[in-house]
Amino acid sequence: MTKLAKRSWAEPFKIKVVEPLRMTSREERERALVEAGYNTFLLKSKDVYIDLLTDSGTNAMSDYQWAGMMLGDEAYAGSENFYHLEENVQKYYGYKYLVPTHQGRGAEHLISSILIKDGDFVPGNMYFTTTRLHQELAGGTFVDVIIDEAHDPQSLHPFKGNIDLNKLEALINKVGAKKIPYVTVAATVNMAGGQPISIANLREVRELTKKHGIRVVLDATRAVENAWFIKQREKGYEKKTIAEILFEMCSFTDAATMSGKKDLLVNIGGFLALNDYDIFEEARNLVVVYEGLHTYGGLAGRDMEAMARGIEEAVQEEHIKARIGQVEYVGERLMSIGIPIVQPSGGHAIFLDARRFLPQIKQTEFPAQTLAAELYAESGVRSMERGIVSAGRNKETGDHNYPKLELVRLTFPRRVYTQAHCDVVTEAVEAVYDRREEIRGMETEYEPKYLRFFQMRFKKL
Ligand code: PM9
């Protein structure tokens, strides 16, 4: 008798509303890819079967959140929902002041333009596309100070999101603390494969930066997922609740940018949260220029209510266990059939290692972009490139940035897909792997100036 597979992460919900999916033929998908310039961002959603492009804004809201939408207070100023959101940000994240924004990059824009001056340096645990661009547009230079293991897809380090304190200290010694307005700490680290940072490392970063009078800004977008990994992997945290760990993580930082579209289980929304009153004053003033009044920041009252309620649901143990359990399930299945992926499995996604998947394709011929297109052609499963295309160009030389990681991200929206969908995805990846040797790379047809991965177009070689 064989043993049943472990299924302890089963979804802690049942499905009340469904959205039909449309399966397309191979010919339809080939046509759609040509129209989209082989960029999965340019595909129409109606042509996608299982959408693993992103977990951003693609989550399923609960009945509690939908009920909250009906309680939207759409007053221009002083909406009730703003105060509920403020209360929950203070309670769960611990920051004193809140500025809502339409999504994460709205918050990044505010903090970057307030704190960064021309010629400044902003260290961080690996870049994120929008975060780095806002830092550059404000006149700063991003410096990667993540540990080396983060750049190695096969390293099994439990906290690949950690900051290398020697790298950070070397930068401080080289350019001087005055030229470093803040350190960005992402939890988890998206571009490294959804990898967490440890509490011990956060504490050390705090101590070092405090000594030099440098602020720490948390990218809290997937901090709840990070808290789950701390509970699993860090000594002394096994018995703490996710809410307690989240609160403690934030306590080592001065401010947070948040894309609520991930952890917080909403379709739109974000915020900047701060402890410093003067910076808050400035942000609250600036937000009216770019987003909207400081009590709505580009959001409808109902969206703020859904996000306030999402904060409460995000930290529920059964929710986060199932969310990350689903991702791990796919990772284990793929590894069991020999597919090269980033290890350990990340919080929000499984990342295929395109360098090992398609070793015959040079990085300048876009292996990960090619793999994402092939997976869609094979199965209707949409994924995202996270390699040379996403890394963009060096702002001084204009050449490509050449990241060590050349990845395709299979990103799982929260509470959306079932285990059977996960199995279909695994089979689709296997089918592409079986014919990997016949796959050729691509060349550029069109490249936009900013965040090129969103709108770039390619041709098959
Ligand atoms: N992340 C993602 O798919 C959506 C846009 S890029 C394809 O992973 C972090 C860690 C993110 C993030 C967005 C943002 C920006 C900031 N930090 O998209 O503006 O993963 O809400 O957030 C995306 P917004």
Side-chain angles (χ1 to χ4, degrees), residues 67-138:
M69 298 282 280
M70 287 306 292
L71 301 177
D73 171 2
E74 307 305 345
Y76 188 88
S79 161
E80 269 300 293
N81 313 115
F82 166 76
Y83 296 107
H84 187 199
L85 179 63
E86 184 184 51
E87 187 189 319
N88 275 359
V89 170
Q90 289 166 345
K91 180 172 166 195
Y92 289 90
Y93 289 85
Y95 301 102
K96 290 190 195 142
Y97 309 112
L98 171 74
V99 181
T101 57
H102 76 286
Q103 57 185 80
R105 69 198 75 178
E108 290 169 347
H109 178 208
L110 294 178
I111 197 76
S112 306
S113 35
I114 293 169
L115 293 181
I116 300 173
K117 294 186 302 302
D118 244 347
D120 279 350
F121 295 85
V122 190
N125 50 350
M126 203 175 269
Y127 83 99
F128 185 71
T129 53
T130 57
T131 321
R132 184 181 63 189
L133 180 62
H134 279 296
Q135 292 165 354
E136 287 176 355
L137 290 173

Side-chain angles (χ1 to χ4, degrees), residues 4 16 65 104 110 163 172 181 194 231 258 283-284 290 302 320 381 392 394 436 450:
L4 289 174
K16 185 151 30 187
Q65 287 177 293
L110 294 178
I163 285 187
I172 298 171
K231 189 177 164 88
M258 168 62 95
R284 165 163 98 146
Y290 295 107
R302 56 180 173 270
I320 195 71
V381 172
N394 182 296
R436 61 190 181 281
Y450 302 113

Side-chain angles (χ1 to χ4, degrees), residues 153 342 352-356 361-371 385-389 402-408:
V342 173
L352 306 177
D353 184 353
R355 278 186 197 275
R356 281 187 290 150
I361 301 182
K362 291 188 287 190
Q363 193 168 27
T364 47
E365 292 173 0
F366 312 118
Q369 190 75 42
T370 304
L371 181 52
E385 193 265 9
R386 297 275 78 164
I388 189 170
V389 180
Y402 295 92
K404 285 206 182 115
L405 297 176
E406 184 66 31
L407 310 174
V408 170

Side-chain angles (χ1 to χ4, degrees), residues 1 9 93 118 133 148 200 221 358 402 447:
M1 211 168 64
W9 54 270
Y93 289 85
D118 244 347
L133 180 62
D148 288 343
T221 298
L358 298 173
Y402 295 92
E447 180 175 336

Side-chain angles (χ1 to χ4, degrees), residues 310-376:
I311 291 177
E312 296 162 24
E313 293 189 349
V315 295
Q316 289 170 11
E317 311 267 330
E318 287 307 311
H319 157 69
I320 195 71
K321 179 177 171 192
R323 190 280 182 283
I324 295 183
Q326 184 179 56
V327 176
E328 275 172 1
Y329 171 77
V330 175
E332 280 165 18
R333 299 254 314 175
L334 287 171
M335 277 195 291
S336 75
I337 52 171
I339 307 287
I341 66 170
V342 173
Q343 294 180 50
S345 289
H348 64 308
I350 292 298
F351 291 69
L352 306 177
D353 184 353
R355 278 186 197 275
R356 281 187 290 150
F357 202 116
L358 298 173
Q360 72 275 25
I361 301 182
K362 291 188 287 190
Q363 193 168 27
T364 47
E365 292 173 0
F366 312 118
Q369 190 75 42
T370 304
L371 181 52
E374 288 291 336
L375 181 61
Y376 172 74

Side-chain angles (χ1 to χ4, degrees), residues 41 53-57 102-108 128-131 186-191 219-222 257-262 268-270 348 384-386 390 409 411 451 453-454:
F41 274 102
L53 182 73
T54 177
D55 62 332
S56 181
H102 76 286
Q103 57 185 80
R105 69 198 75 178
E108 290 169 347
F128 185 71
T129 53
T130 57
T131 321
T188 57
V189 181
N190 193 348
M191 303 302 281
D219 183 339
T221 298
R222 297 184 185 85
T257 54
M258 168 62 95
S259 170
K261 300 169 74 177
K262 285 82 165 174
I268 193 73
H348 64 308
M384 184 194 291
E385 193 265 9
R386 297 275 78 164
S390 297
R409 192 179 73 175
T411 337
L451 299 175
F453 59 93
F454 282 127

